[in-house]
Amino acid sequence: MPRMSRRTLLRSMAAGGAAVSAPALLTACSSGSGDSDVSNAGKKLAPWPAYRPATGPKPDLAPTEEGVQAGYTSYPSDLVRSVSRTPGDGSTVRVMTVSFGTPPKPASQNRFWAAVEKALGVKIEYTVISQADYQKKMATVMAGDAGALPDIINMFSGFTLPREAQFVQRRAQDLTPYLSGEAIGDYPNLANIPTHAWRDMGRIGGRVYGIPLERPLPGSTLWINQGMFADAGMKDGWTAEDFTAVARRGTRGRTYMLGAANGSLFGNAFHSAAHNAPQGWAVTDKGTFLPAAADERYKESIAFQAQLRKNGSYHPDATSVSQIDLTTLYYNGTVGSMQDGFGAYLPKYRESGGKMTPAAALPYSVGGKPGGIVAARRSFGYTVLKQAKKERVELLLRILDYLAAPFGSEEWELVHYGVEGVHFTRAADGSPEYTELGEVENNTNLPLKYLAEGPQVLFVPGMPDAVRALHAWQRKVVPHAVRNASFGLQSATNNSQGATLKTFLDDTVTGIIAGRLPMSEWDAAVKKWRSRGGDRMAEEYAEDHAANT
């Protein structure tokens, strides 16, 4: 099996995105004393930005309104221009984003950095924060002086920062006058961001403060080694019992069919969705919010996983191995599956080296009912701006508009691959291929894609069959996606206590599946969670939901 470098594995994690697990959060991230009212209830709601799809190369595989992505089996031969003029004015722009890559080479030695600066017409002072340091750094930034804020800040969705919404409302630029309704027409690439991404980002106090990073509908996905699962008897239309049998049959010696990483709850997202349990929160027709934790189907998914672990199908280090090390075990065949974000398909296919075939698993059925999949939050974080004069805000929005260029455009190619002949060359089919320099100077190590990005499409360079397989998989599973009803809504209790309460429940799930706690502990844990804030969150989400409908 292929040997993976740490750089490659970090790039794989960056693409996966949704699978990143969050450790216990800091408790003091408030930007000031007291909490402002960030809910949308009783507020005049700013209209969502008017959606205006960009023109560009026609996809080979059509998208659907339900959420199936557009697919490209080959790279567009004629790229379009999406930006008519250089957006900047020669000034310096300070930006800060999360990163899953290695630190970039300094600007003075980085030709990718220089090329982007030239295209944008600004000098970029870039603070790149590793995923491991993000919480600590953001706590410092949020508690610091408003004048010291960077011009552009990525609010990464992998962590829920306490009182994040209050910080944004107090310190970030209100973008409603610039982006709400038809105003966004001044920024065509930002107008190309679909409404579902803005909705899942959500308003704060009825206003639009950020620009979402759009993501596809499928979220946490069970990525399998197709050969291993086929050899063990995987079949279309499998049931929970079939899944159990395949997992047991394929596990032998030091090979385990099921892998999991620390913080992933043994891959609970895939299994709870297959059981059709709510993902976080469900909402009734009457607007009542119901927590997943109190749903019997969620409880059944925990018991199902506990049995899988008990019969030996999970790798024994499932509660301690990192996501990076689990990826290594997946590529070398030690584990036959792992949970990761759907966006991880690109490195999964690219880095497998043709020695194994990755595939997104179809959910199994439970009790005769087709299984569901996790519906991702359609906004993988969002970008906010430092409060500034109108001219400065407009300049920053022009920069983000450039970075949000759609697939099939010259601007997209520069931001994602760099300069032809320097950072990439063309394969026989015209697809960009990184050069040796492009492997170290790229959009992972200098993560411009976490400032702004156009709608994502299905494309695997040089692998048209992979694109067809992913598109066919989406057509089967997207109608059964289970969405977290709290996406885009505000809850004061969740803003202040949600992270701590989630950690408490997650630790209980992990303890039960690992065999350290009896299943009987679950009901008591849910009761405690509800009394400590879960029921208050339900009420607040219901109130905010009513205001948004």
Side-chain angles (χ1 to χ4, degrees):
M1 300 303 294
R3 295 172 61 89
M4 307 308 299
S5 69
R6 183 174 179 83
R7 184 172 67 206
T8 292
L9 294 171
L10 287 167
R11 188 169 61 201
S12 178
M13 285 187 67
V20 176
S21 57
L25 296 172
L26 301 173
T27 57
C29 289
S30 177
S31 58
S33 60
D35 285 336
S36 56
D37 181 11
V38 297
S39 75
N40 296 292
K43 311 289 174 45
K44 181 179 179 180
L45 302 182
W48 295 119
Y51 174 53
R52 296 181 179 176
T55 57
K58 184 179 178 180
D60 303 297
L61 303 170
T64 69
E65 291 187 4
E66 283 186 301
V68 176
Q69 290 176 279
Y72 291 82
T73 57
S74 62
Y75 191 68
S77 57
D78 296 316
L79 302 182
V80 300
R81 288 200 65 181
S82 68
V83 176
S84 60
R85 66 185 180 96
T86 302
D89 60 1
S91 62
T92 296
V93 175
R94 298 171 59 230
V95 306
M96 185 174 78
T97 64
V98 70
S99 172
F100 298 91
T102 55
K105 293 160 59 178
S108 60
Q109 305 169 25
N110 195 316
R111 297 177 68 179
F112 176 63
W113 196 326
V116 172
E117 285 185 330
K118 180 180 179 181
L120 294 177
V122 294
K123 298 296 292 182
I124 302 174
E125 288 186 6
Y126 212 130
T127 300
V128 179
I129 313 172
S130 70
Q131 180 256 341
D133 296 332
Y134 180 81
Q135 290 174 275
K136 183 177 180 180
K137 179 65 176 179
M138 281 303 300
T140 302
V141 170
M142 292 168 72
D145 180 71
L149 288 175
D151 295 293
I152 304 174
I153 306 174
N154 163 244
M155 305 300 292
F156 171 49
S157 69
F159 301 109
T160 301
L161 298 168
R163 296 175 177 84
E164 176 181 313
Q166 284 83 355
F167 163 76
V168 171
Q169 187 181 59
R170 290 171 179 165
R171 298 288 184 83
Q173 178 68 46
D174 181 356
L175 297 177
T176 305
Y178 304 90
L179 302 179
S180 179
E182 296 297 333
I184 200 171
D186 291 337
Y187 311 99
N189 289 336
L190 298 182
N192 183 45
I193 299 173
T195 303
H196 60 243
W198 300 94
R199 288 185 184 279
D200 275 10
M201 175 187 74
R203 304 179 183 91
I204 297 176
R207 310 291 284 177
V208 176
Y209 282 88
I211 296 170
L213 300 172
E214 193 267 355
R215 287 297 183 267
L217 181 63
S220 293
T221 302
L222 186 68
W223 289 98
I224 61 174
N225 180 320
Q226 187 164 300
M228 289 176 64
F229 270 72
D231 290 345
M234 178 183 66
K235 59 184 180 180
D236 289 341
W238 58 354
T239 64
E241 292 74 21
D242 295 328
F243 184 93
T244 301
V246 168
R248 293 191 67 178
R249 193 176 300 124
T251 298
R252 54 186 179 276
R254 295 185 178 181
T255 298
Y256 302 87
M257 290 296 275
L258 306 179
N262 176 35
S264 73
L265 286 63
F266 287 82
N268 175 260
F270 169 80
H271 293 286
S272 60
H275 280 72
N276 286 295
Q279 297 301 296
W281 293 90
V283 61
T284 69
D285 292 340
K286 295 183 178 180
T288 302
F289 270 66
L290 305 173
D295 193 290
E296 281 299 311
R297 293 167 296 183
Y298 190 79
K299 183 177 178 180
E300 289 168 5
S301 74
I302 298 171
F304 179 75
Q305 290 177 266
Q307 187 59 46
L308 290 171
R309 196 277 315 163
K310 187 175 181 180
N311 70 27
S313 298
Y314 276 103
H315 189 279
D317 296 333
T319 60
S320 60
V321 69
S322 70
Q323 184 78 358
I324 292 176
D325 291 337
L326 176 63
T327 304
T328 300
L329 297 177
Y330 175 71
Y331 283 130
N332 69 24
T334 301
V335 299
S337 65
M338 62 178 289
Q339 183 174 281
D340 207 341
F342 176 76
Y345 76 82
L346 190 58
K348 289 284 188 291
Y349 280 98
R350 183 174 56 204
E351 312 298 356
S352 60
K355 297 182 179 180
M356 55 94 74
T357 301
L362 290 168
Y364 50 79
S365 63
V366 179
K369 296 181 179 179
I373 65 160
V374 178
R377 188 169 194 156
R378 307 301 299 275
S379 171
F380 183 65
Y382 56 100
T383 297
V384 298
L385 305 183
K386 178 181 178 179
Q387 293 178 4
K389 294 182 178 179
K390 180 174 183 290
E391 294 76 13
R392 182 67 172 177
V393 173
E394 290 173 342
L395 179 145
L396 298 176
L397 288 174
R398 290 197 302 270
I399 289 171
L400 296 177
D401 184 68
Y402 186 105
L403 298 178
F407 178 79
S409 67
E410 296 175 1
E411 295 82 7
W412 184 94
E413 184 174 88
L414 172 66
V415 172
H416 287 79
Y417 281 96
V419 179
E420 184 174 2
V422 177
H423 300 103
F424 73 91
T425 57
R426 302 279 180 193
D429 65 352
S431 299
E433 288 185 338
Y434 282 124
T435 62
E436 185 175 347
L437 182 63
E439 289 287 346
V440 294
E441 294 184 5
N442 53 48
N443 204 357
T444 297
N445 298 338
L446 189 73
L448 299 159
K449 58 189 172 185
Y450 296 142
L451 296 175
E453 191 170 28
Q456 296 196 341
V457 301
L458 289 172
F459 174 64
V460 184
M463 298 185 186
D465 288 343
V467 175
R468 295 186 186 98
L470 291 167
H471 193 267
W473 178 83
Q474 285 196 3
R475 290 185 67 87
K476 289 181 180 179
V477 303
V478 160
H480 304 289
V482 183
R483 185 178 184 274
N484 186 334
S486 73
F487 287 161
L489 301 179
Q490 295 294 337
S491 159
T493 303
N494 183 61
N495 283 335
S496 61
Q497 300 172 242
T500 301
L501 290 171
K502 182 178 184 300
T503 297
F504 167 68
L505 275 187
D506 287 354
D507 287 347
T508 305
V509 173
T510 300
I512 292 172
I513 298 173
R516 297 192 297 265
L517 296 173
M519 193 68 221
S520 58
E521 284 288 316
W522 182 246
D523 290 342
V526 173
K527 183 177 180 180
K528 184 181 294 185
W529 174 86
R530 297 183 74 154
S531 67
R532 289 181 175 180
D535 285 343
R536 287 198 302 276
M537 279 192 274
E539 294 171 0
E540 291 161 359
Y541 279 134
E543 186 178 40
D544 212 61
H545 177 263
N548 277 274
T549 54

